[in-house]
Amino acid sequence: MNFIAMDFETASGKRYSACSLALTIVRDNQITDEFYTLINPQTDFFWRNIQIHGIHEKDVQDAPLFPEVWQHIKQFYQPEQLVIAHNNSFDNSVLKNTLLHYGIQPPTYQTLDTVKSSRQLIPGLSNYKLNTVCDALQIDLHHHHNALDDAQACANILLYEAEHFGGDKLRPFINFYN
């Protein structure tokens, strides 16, 4: 399988307040590359978000703005590219709303939600939060809500599902996003 696992952390409940992003690139069923950056969201941070991910305003004061980050990653968001996330409605909406906030047209790409695939393929868990699924599959999740660790874990969930259930079982979970 070839895909990109994406994870955003946000400064607040505003879906355009991305303050960190990680991408884990998988080629031929192997993690081949990773991208991580802090992002200056140019908005206030909410205490609850800081409590979740540990990123403060001072941490991002010298970080790039999202349009600069987008120049480095936009090639990963193409119609033929599969971009996955755990609870992808959140991550896809953060990407879309952040792009729209800066006047950038959101791309069309294929997407898959590992929450949905895990619910279907791995029944019986108490919930389908990232850390719960990782524990059930014995996938290392070093620091939950660190975007890079979360993206790696998400990639490993899909690799596990592909290996144990086959790519045909995953196809129904793939949709186009825009």
Side-chain angles (χ1 to χ4, degrees):
M1 287 191 84
N2 298 320
F3 61 88
I4 310 296
M6 159 178 73
D7 189 78
F8 278 100
E9 299 298 331
T10 57
S12 69
K14 297 173 184 169
R15 290 290 169 104
Y16 62 84
S17 68
C19 63
S20 73
L21 165 67
L23 302 175
T24 298
I25 295 95
V26 174
R27 298 285 175 244
D28 299 322
N29 299 316
Q30 299 291 321
I31 294 175
T32 60
D33 204 359
E34 296 170 329
F35 174 85
Y36 174 80
T37 187
L38 291 172
I39 301 164
N40 185 335
Q42 297 181 296
T43 188
D44 293 332
F45 279 63
F46 182 60
W47 68 269
R48 178 70 176 121
N49 292 64
I50 295 169
Q51 189 177 43
I52 291 169
H53 53 57
I55 301 169
H56 294 80
E57 287 181 66
K58 67 181 178 347
D59 298 326
V60 301
Q61 66 187 9
D62 295 325
L65 302 181
F66 194 78
E68 183 181 336
V69 173
W70 182 243
Q71 292 306 310
H72 296 284
I73 65 168
K74 66 183 177 182
Q75 75 272 9
F76 295 119
Y77 296 87
Q78 302 298 322
E80 69 282 354
Q81 181 64 58
L82 177 61
V83 179
I84 72 164
H86 200 77
N87 187 18
N88 73 354
S89 63
F90 173 79
D91 296 283
N92 286 329
S93 71
V94 171
L95 176 62
K96 181 177 185 174
N97 284 289
T98 303
L99 288 168
L100 290 172
H101 179 75
Y102 286 103
I104 301 168
Q105 180 64 37
T108 298
Y109 53 92
Q110 296 177 60
T111 189
L112 180 147
D113 186 344
T114 55
V115 170
K116 291 179 182 175
S117 63
S118 296
R119 277 191 184 125
Q120 190 72 28
L121 299 172
I122 310 162
L125 300 182
S126 60
N127 63 59
Y128 288 86
K129 295 177 183 177
L130 184 63
N131 57 329
T132 304
V133 176
C134 286
D135 285 347
L137 303 181
Q138 298 181 332
I139 293 171
D140 286 334
L141 177 56
H142 302 289
H143 185 258
H144 192 24
H145 296 297
N146 170 286
L148 185 56
D149 288 347
D150 287 0
Q152 290 168 346
C154 180
N156 282 313
I157 289 170
L158 191 61
L159 288 169
Y160 176 97
E161 292 174 352
E163 179 182 339
H164 289 84
F165 305 107
D168 288 342
K169 293 277 189 185
L170 295 170
R171 283 195 223 314
F173 298 102
I174 298 173
N175 299 300
F176 277 95
Y177 186 80
N178 187 325

